[in-house]
Amino acid sequence: MYAEADYVMLSALQHYQYCPRQCALIHIEQIWAENLHTAEGRILHERADSREKGAKGCVRTVRTLPIRSARLGLSGQADVVEFHEDGKVFPVEYKRGRPKANRCDEVQLCAQALCLEEMLGVAIMEGALFYGRNKRRHAVFFDGQLRHLAEETVSQVHELFRTGVTPKAEYAKKCDQCSLMSACLPKSCTDARSVRKYLAGMLRGIDEKDAQHPVCDDSGRLSE
């Protein structure tokens, strides 16, 4: 069991699965920037985060439900949780865009289910991701593989926060869509452009074309 002070946010799991460095920049270095994609996501969540409760037919819906797991050291909120008359509990997470190639959104949703299972003492076998681009739900089944991936990600995020070391940048095409591109500098903060190597190059008189750009030290932290 984790002490409440050591809980990590559910959203950190999605950030870590997408990019460990992005997770560290947001949750350790407290850096945030908004772009078109994050603005679209914020607007999409406005209804989901309305804290409304309602019932339709045999389903009672609760929005923005606070959830937690002492076993995993997790806390956050579920966008939507449906409580069906037959006892079924069904979490729904809202996302902008379309389904992603990786499983970062599925991991976050599965972690919500793990929290709800611990809180309610029920088994939750499936949930759904609602994507704003096609305005459709995509079913997610919480099988053993996804549950293992979610719990493994939780452990990795706890370890990242324990060390407090921001991973080095590794540029990928997805970086072009990241709102933290200007803070992360993935094309500059790489092994090939650490402060040590940058200074060594300057002493050798090498023309460093990005000499005016901030770079990272060997721990991955930004410096001027």
Side-chain angles (χ1 to χ4, degrees):
M1 296 293 181
Y2 284 86
E4 190 169 328
D6 295 326
Y7 284 12
V8 300
M9 296 178 65
L10 281 159
S11 60
L13 308 183
Q14 195 267 358
H15 295 145
Y16 186 90
Q17 270 288 317
Y18 184 78
C19 171
R21 180 171 170 83
Q22 182 199 65
C23 180
L25 290 173
I26 294 173
H27 297 277
I28 296 176
E29 302 194 27
Q30 303 292 301
I31 295 174
W32 178 250
E34 188 157 79
N35 64 8
L36 175 62
H37 304 302
T38 58
E40 288 179 350
R42 176 171 49 77
I43 293 171
L44 178 66
H45 275 86
E46 285 182 352
R47 172 166 168 70
D49 294 346
S50 64
R51 299 184 183 276
E52 296 175 353
K53 298 179 181 178
K56 187 175 182 180
C58 300
V59 180
R60 182 166 62 91
T61 301
V62 179
R63 301 179 184 277
T64 325
L65 179 66
I67 55 178
R68 58 188 287 173
S69 167
R71 179 177 70 86
L72 297 173
L74 280 176
S75 66
Q77 61 186 27
D79 286 342
V80 173
V81 180
E82 295 178 352
F83 295 89
H84 294 242
E85 193 173 63
D86 61 1
K88 177 181 175 182
V89 179
F90 192 88
V92 182
E93 173 69 13
Y94 280 55
K95 295 294 182 186
R96 63 159 297 278
R98 63 188 66 180
K100 299 178 178 64
N102 60 48
R103 308 195 76 182
C104 60
D105 294 341
E106 295 175 59
V107 164
Q108 184 179 2
L109 181 66
C110 183
Q112 292 178 11
L114 294 173
C115 289
L116 289 166
E117 287 182 339
E118 182 177 316
M119 293 170 62
L120 303 174
V122 299
I124 302 176
M125 306 310 296
E126 63 178 322
L129 293 165
F130 178 89
Y131 285 96
R133 182 65 60 88
N134 58 17
K135 300 187 185 304
R136 289 183 179 179
R137 286 187 177 187
H138 294 258
V140 177
F141 297 95
F142 307 130
D143 57 20
Q145 185 181 41
L146 181 56
R147 287 171 183 269
H148 175 75
L149 179 60
E151 296 205 18
E152 184 179 56
T153 304
V154 173
S155 297
Q156 291 169 333
V157 171
H158 275 294
E159 178 62 15
L160 175 67
F161 289 3
R162 187 189 67 77
T163 63
V165 177
T166 300
K168 293 180 179 178
E170 295 182 12
Y171 176 76
K173 189 175 181 180
K174 65 183 179 183
C175 296
D176 298 331
Q177 306 296 319
C178 181
S179 68
L180 300 182
M181 177 80 164
S182 60
C184 177
L185 299 171
K187 294 182 179 178
S188 300
C189 296
T190 64
D191 286 343
R193 291 193 177 186
S194 66
V195 167
R196 177 171 51 80
K197 293 179 180 178
Y198 168 80
L199 292 176
M202 291 295 289
L203 291 174
R204 290 196 304 269
I206 295 175
D207 181 18
E208 171 59 63
K209 67 177 181 179
D210 293 326
Q212 301 303 314
H213 293 178
V215 294
C216 290
D217 59 22
D218 287 342
S219 68
R221 293 184 181 279
L222 294 173
S223 64
E224 297 293 337

